[in-house]
Amino acid sequence: MTIPPPATPRSPEPREPAEPRLGRTGGTGGPDGTGGTGGSGGGLARALQRVTASPLGPYQSAVVRIGFAATYLFFLLRELPNRHELYGPDSPWHWDLARQLTAGNEAFSVLMWTDSTVWFETVYALTLLSAAALLLGWRTRTMSVLFMIGVLSVQNRSIFMGDGGDNVVHLMAIYLVLTRCGQVWSLDARRAVRAARRSAEGLPPARDVVGPVLWAVLGPVLVAATWMDGLGGTWWLPTLLWVLWLSAAAWWAVNRHRPHGEPRALLDVLANLAHNATLAVIMAEVCLIYATAGWYKIQGSRWQDGTALYYPLNLDYFTPWPALSDLLGSSGLMVMVLTYGTVIVQVAFPFTLFNRRVKNVLLVAMICEHMGIALLLGLPFFSMAMIAADAVFLPTAFLVWLGARVTNGRRRLLSRLPGRSDAPGEAGVPASPGAGAGPAEPGAARVGGGGEEPRRQDGGGGHTLVG
């Protein structure tokens, strides 16, 4: 007897899966609107079902994926003319110094394998391509791993070239590997829709060649890197890479021989647990960033007297628009309001998670704050990284609405082209309620209460190296 994959709870309207409902300790109704058993035991069972049955926050994790991939892609493109001086053979922090530093702090960088210029150009190009592919959601699991390797390699090559935004990208590149961030708004999601349509029409699944080829090519590279001790001095990175590579083979074998059996259900549960736990870590990371930044500011005398913002507005290094900086810096009231407002927003944000409406207001304030930092202080990539991290708290209903508007705009644009049409359901963006969406695709499961997303036949939402 086989057990089908766990059913995902259906929700009548978009909800915010990443935000817990506080102050409720039971009752007669479950969080999804269905009848509950009541009491703490029933609540625990519903919570367990929720975190194992589906990946929570599919839209939030997709925005985080797109945001950080775009941030690093644009950074690499901007520094393309200066790449040799920053991270390559012409860097003042030359290869021997970098070699000594990575040997001392046990950091990982494939750029330390050799000081060849050709090797540096290859790694830089592959990092660019992996960021672009992750942005589009093509082979999401594979590209997230290559993106992580590229980010760690480039940043650890010259660690003194970055700022606080680089630290956030560094951490999020690792976290994204453990998430199912290709469930929506990705080419993987589009491919899943087409696979579900073929299955509903009784057609055999399309043969996947690219996935096994990627797995077969990356395997020997991993073996050689492990054999030559080229994965850094930590234990977690080799373990993570080997677990991902071996689990990819397990996913492929299960999907090929027992796609609806107990092994597939178990793999889905483990993947959902890893995704949901990582999403909680990302949320905690963002809260810690703002809490520590805010409390450290409180201890500074310049922040206490409301003049801290005056000084960066008068430094040439942080004034890309001198006229605008002079205009703001000349107003003592504006400087004081912005200084105190920055501290208040950063200190208060972690506590606003207990109230959804207040949290959304402060979330808008923080995004505006980072946009101001990008404009006034000339730190665009730091601001992009922080806005992408903040996106984990965006309301699901807003993201569904935004996705529907983008999809409708794209369809109108494509409809003007001769001989082009875009049928609903092919964009990889689930239809939002009330947006003219038709019935769900056969075999689709409700994900995060925000739309329809089919169960993948190849590993689940860009979930494997071969999927």
Side-chain angles (χ1 to χ4, degrees):
M1 181 180 71
T2 60
I3 299 176
T8 306
R10 302 187 65 86
S11 176
E13 61 181 9
R15 309 179 69 94
E16 290 189 60
E19 296 180 345
R21 291 184 175 272
L22 301 177
R24 297 183 62 178
T25 57
T28 58
D32 56 354
T34 60
T37 59
S40 59
L44 180 61
R46 288 193 301 270
L48 184 61
Q49 169 70 7
R50 188 172 179 82
V51 299
T52 58
S54 65
L56 304 179
Y59 296 93
Q60 288 84 353
S61 59
V63 174
V64 171
R65 182 200 85 228
I66 294 170
F68 280 99
T71 298
Y72 211 64
L73 174 64
F74 295 152
F75 171 78
L76 293 176
L77 289 175
R78 189 193 71 171
E79 301 299 348
L80 193 62
N82 308 312
R83 64 190 185 279
H84 285 200
E85 289 76 16
L86 291 177
Y87 303 105
D90 299 331
S91 173
W93 189 256
H94 56 79
W95 190 83
D96 291 332
L97 286 175
R99 183 76 173 177
Q100 295 176 30
L101 180 62
T102 54
N105 60 16
E106 300 182 338
F108 163 77
S109 175
V110 298
L111 292 176
M112 294 296 97
W113 291 359
T114 174
D115 60 350
S116 168
T117 302
V118 175
W119 177 243
F120 167 76
E121 297 287 2
T122 302
V123 172
Y124 200 92
L126 288 177
T127 306
L128 269 170
L129 293 175
S130 65
L134 186 62
L135 173 65
L136 298 174
W138 182 78
R139 306 287 169 172
T140 312
R141 180 60 62 196
T142 308
M143 294 304 117
S144 66
V145 175
L146 295 179
F147 178 72
M148 177 190 70
I149 292 174
V151 168
L152 297 182
S153 299
V154 173
Q155 290 188 354
N156 290 336
R157 167 62 178 84
S158 300
I159 62 173
F160 302 108
M161 299 296 179
D163 53 28
D166 289 342
N167 295 331
V168 179
V169 174
H170 188 108
L171 292 172
M172 295 300 173
I174 300 173
Y175 296 153
L176 282 174
V177 173
L178 301 174
T179 63
R180 306 182 79 170
C181 55
Q183 295 284 302
V184 297
W185 297 343
S186 66
L187 296 179
D188 286 345
R190 177 194 291 251
R191 183 159 49 95
V193 171
R194 293 174 175 172
R197 184 175 292 119
R198 289 179 60 90
S199 178
E201 294 173 355
L203 299 175
R207 184 177 179 82
D208 182 24
V209 178
V210 177
V213 169
L214 288 173
W215 185 84
V217 170
L218 294 175
V221 176
L222 180 58
V223 172
T226 305
W227 180 263
M228 295 186 299
D229 197 22
L231 297 178
T234 60
W235 63 267
W236 65 267
L237 182 62
T239 302
L240 175 63
L241 295 177
W242 274 105
V243 167
L244 290 171
W245 189 71
L246 294 175
S247 63
W251 273 95
W252 179 85
V254 168
N255 286 323
R256 184 177 181 87
H257 301 290
R258 298 192 63 183
H260 304 293
E262 295 177 3
R264 172 58 193 270
L266 176 61
L267 291 177
D268 262 326
V269 168
L270 294 176
N272 293 335
L273 285 173
H275 168 92
N276 296 332
T278 305
L279 203 62
V281 170
I282 292 175
M283 296 170 66
E285 189 78 36
V286 175
C287 290
L288 285 173
I289 290 174
Y290 285 118
T292 54
W295 286 107
Y296 271 110
K297 286 181 174 68
I298 289 177
Q299 301 175 41
S301 60
R302 300 306 179 192
W303 291 96
Q304 293 175 7
D305 59 26
T307 62
L309 190 62
Y310 173 83
Y311 299 98
L313 289 176
N314 288 274
L315 292 175
D316 293 338
Y317 185 78
F318 291 108
T319 53
W321 309 99
L324 183 58
S325 298
D326 291 340
L327 179 63
L328 287 176
S330 62
S331 173
L333 177 62
M334 183 61 67
V335 170
M336 183 182 67
V337 169
L338 293 177
T339 301
Y340 285 149
T342 298
V343 176
I344 292 172
V345 168
Q346 291 182 352
V347 172
F349 178 74
F351 300 99
T352 63
L353 299 183
F354 294 93
N355 188 297
R356 182 174 302 182
R357 293 182 179 179
V358 178
K359 180 268 297 180
N360 291 337
V361 172
L362 261 69
L363 189 60
V364 173
M366 287 196 304
I367 292 176
C368 292
E369 174 190 326
H370 290 303
M371 293 174 65
I373 291 174
L375 178 64
L376 295 174
L377 303 183
L379 298 173
F381 299 110
F382 166 79
S383 299
M384 288 180 64
M386 291 308 304
I387 291 174
D390 294 341
V392 74
F393 294 105
L394 287 174
T396 301
F398 168 74
L399 294 176
V400 172
W401 174 86
L402 181 63
R405 300 290 81 77
V406 173
T407 302
N408 291 337
R410 183 180 65 88
R411 287 172 181 166
R412 285 195 296 268
L413 180 63
L414 292 178
S415 65
R416 298 178 183 178
L417 301 178
R420 293 295 302 273
S421 64
D422 191 22
E426 292 188 358
V429 181
S432 61
E441 295 290 341
R446 181 76 66 176
V447 178
E452 300 294 339
E453 179 65 22
R455 284 198 176 275
R456 309 246 343 213
Q457 301 299 320
D458 55 1
H463 184 70
T464 69
L465 289 174
V466 299

